[in-house]
Amino acid sequence: MSSSRKEAHVQLALHGPVGFRSKTSGFETIDLPYSALPELNYADVHTSTTWLNYTLGLPLIVTGMTGGYPDAERINGQLAEACAEVGVALGVGSMRSVLDDPRHASTFSVVKGAAGTIPILANLGAVQVARSHRQQTLQRTLDHVVSLVDAAAVAIHLNPLQELMQPEGEPEYAGVLDAIAAAVQHSPVPVVVKEVGAGISGRVARQLASVGVHMIDVAGAGGTSWAGIEILRRDDPDAAEAFWDVGWSTVDCLRQVVGTVPTVIASGGLSSGTDLAKALALGAKIGGVARPVLQALEHGGISGVVSLLHNWRTDLRRWLFLTGSPSLNDFVSILHRAD
Ligand SMILES: Cc1cc2nc3c(=O)[nH]c(=O)nc-3n(C[C@H](O)[C@H](O)[C@H](O)COP(=O)(O)O)c2cc1C
């Protein structure tokens, strides 16, 4: 991934019209089951959870966004500080650039200091994983990216739509499932397979489960449109317009994917603690958020991100109280079970 491309992605995510146009994540269709008799005190309600042997203040990941160009070091460092303060997991962006050019290492390893407090997720694209598998360097690649950030897990992103829309894209998806199977076997840490905002369907989740994947981040449609970002970077944007809104909405994904693997992560268009609560009620173990956090960092710095994450935690806590759920264990899946 070229460093100027990664920088353009961040600038477009911050300042461009890169949301979905007519598709939503679907959370507005979900009504949480209000209880007029919660039989508990708000003071006794807690949002903490454990994941990958860490305790989180709330079940949330700031999912992978950046790395590989000079200002990414500041962004990743500040995100790590904010996430460690609240107890939220953090992913770094695609680490392909560091495989091509070791000088980019510090733009990722800057998050390492937070690894004692929160789980850090390394990140590789599925196309890169397949290439490393073909070149028989997969084990070395995984060991390298994991050690660079002291990762508790490695996220492998599926992005065929983005690769297809990207001017310099590599839509080479033959052999990807086999390569993911090999990654699951060889990775020194657990593997999360994620999309980047077009969603993972139940069918794809079952294919992933069949090769040993235990954790899926659905990264559904309704938030950041990666087709949109790449279309804005094309010389011929009109030729690709029809693909801007392609994908499964996040709520659709959750309805299809929950139950296929032990840990489902919900991201793609979560915009509040209420959306997070709805995702958990549909059976996700953890939520994920990307662009809103980048925008909070741009506008308010580290304290802007901390305050956004605190607001999400407060809203989630309110929903636990209003549904009569003393802990997340009582709350997760309340809608999934009722279905
Ligand atoms: C600026 C930016 C860069 C991103 N880069 C990556 C990446 O390198 N690897 C990845 O797996 N996902 C990447 N994503 C996708 C996010 O992790 C997330 O799946 C997606 O944006 C949907 O979440 P959102 O609607 O909260 O933004 C990126 C997102 C943004 C906004």
Side-chain angles (χ1 to χ4, degrees), residues 6 9-10 13 63-65 93-94 123 157 194-197 219 223-224 226 267-269 289-292 294:
K6 286 306 283 180
H9 285 159
V10 166
T63 59
M65 282 187 278
S94 171
N123 189 297
H157 65 265
K194 73 188 284 288
E195 235 283 345
V196 298
T224 307
W226 271 93
S267 77
V289 55
R291 189 161 54 108
L294 191 64

Side-chain angles (χ1 to χ4, degrees), residues 30-35 273-274 277-279 281-282 319 323 331 334-335:
I30 308 289
D31 220 359
L32 289 168
Y34 170 71
S35 167
T274 295
K278 289 175 177 178
L282 287 167
W319 278 115
T323 54
F331 182 75
I334 51 173
L335 288 171

